Amino acid sequence: MKTKDTTKGSCLCGSVCFEADLPPVRFQYCHCISCRKTTSSAHGAFLFFLPERFRWIAGESMIERFTDQQSNPGYMRWFCRRCGSAVPRLSRNKQYFVIPAGLLDDDPLAKPERNIFWDERAPWLLNIDMIPKFSEGIDSIIRET
Ligand SMILES: [Zn+2]
Ligand SMILES: [Zn+2]
């Protein structure tokens, strides 16, 4: 079996591209309110890499940086200036590059290991196996009704 040694990712518009050497140090879901707000989703999904194992390929100059001074002082969000996608950022302690898993264009050959800030999880979060699944989008919903 062929083994991969890097994973690549990009933002929605393709301006920001990066790669990292596998395996990640850590892969986890974060349910904290800051991650829910900044990902506009049920939770963050993040892979952690040592900085020397992470490289920008393109678009570093397109990155905007926001630091929360109010609800979670010091919490940082880096995002693409053009499309608004969250992009990799340096962790608060500067020890890791934190990659939002949804940016990956390939399989990092790793799965999330844990949930953090579980007590802050969205009240509507549930196990996805509990609800029906469709292979397509809105058309599937229309056909069902
Ligand atoms: Zn972009
Ligand atoms: Zn979080």
Side-chain angles (χ1 to χ4, degrees):
M1 197 182 90
K2 187 173 178 292
T3 54
K4 270 164 31 100
D5 51 8
T6 62
T7 185
K8 286 183 164 52
S10 55
C11 65
L12 181 62
C13 75
S15 295
V16 179
C17 300
F18 60 88
E19 67 178 7
D21 299 328
L22 296 173
V25 174
R26 187 179 295 154
F27 190 177
Q28 65 191 17
Y29 293 151
C30 184
H31 298 264
C32 84
I33 290 165
S34 297
C35 285
R36 286 204 276 129
K37 291 275 186 192
T38 60
T39 61
S40 330
S41 192
H43 54 73
F46 301 111
L47 301 100
F48 290 67
F49 292 88
L50 293 173
E52 60 267 29
R53 295 170 66 83
F54 175 88
R55 293 171 295 282
W56 297 109
I57 294 173
E60 196 177 350
S61 65
M62 293 293 289
I63 296 171
E64 290 284 347
R65 294 171 175 82
F66 171 80
T67 304
D68 186 5
Q69 309 290 0
Q70 309 269 312
S71 57
N72 183 357
Y75 181 91
M76 280 183 299
R77 170 168 156 71
W78 294 15
F79 56 98
C80 172
R81 179 184 307 163
R82 181 156 176 243
C83 72
S85 295
V87 300
R89 62 177 164 81
L90 207 51
S91 63
R92 207 182 293 208
N93 62 16
K94 300 186 169 27
Q95 289 183 355
Y96 303 104
F97 260 93
V98 183
I99 297 179
L103 297 176
L104 296 180
D105 295 316
D106 55 23
D107 183 353
L109 304 179
K111 302 283 190 211
E113 304 133 32
R114 60 181 186 170
N115 294 280
I116 62 168
F117 289 105
W118 182 244
D119 291 347
E120 292 185 30
R121 69 190 181 276
W124 44 269
L125 179 75
L126 48 70
N127 185 324
I128 58 171
D129 286 331
M130 293 170 66
I131 50 179
K133 301 177 182 73
F134 302 93
S135 55
E136 299 158 52
I138 191 73
D139 292 345
S140 303
I141 298 165
I142 291 166
R143 271 202 303 275
E144 189 195 25
T145 53

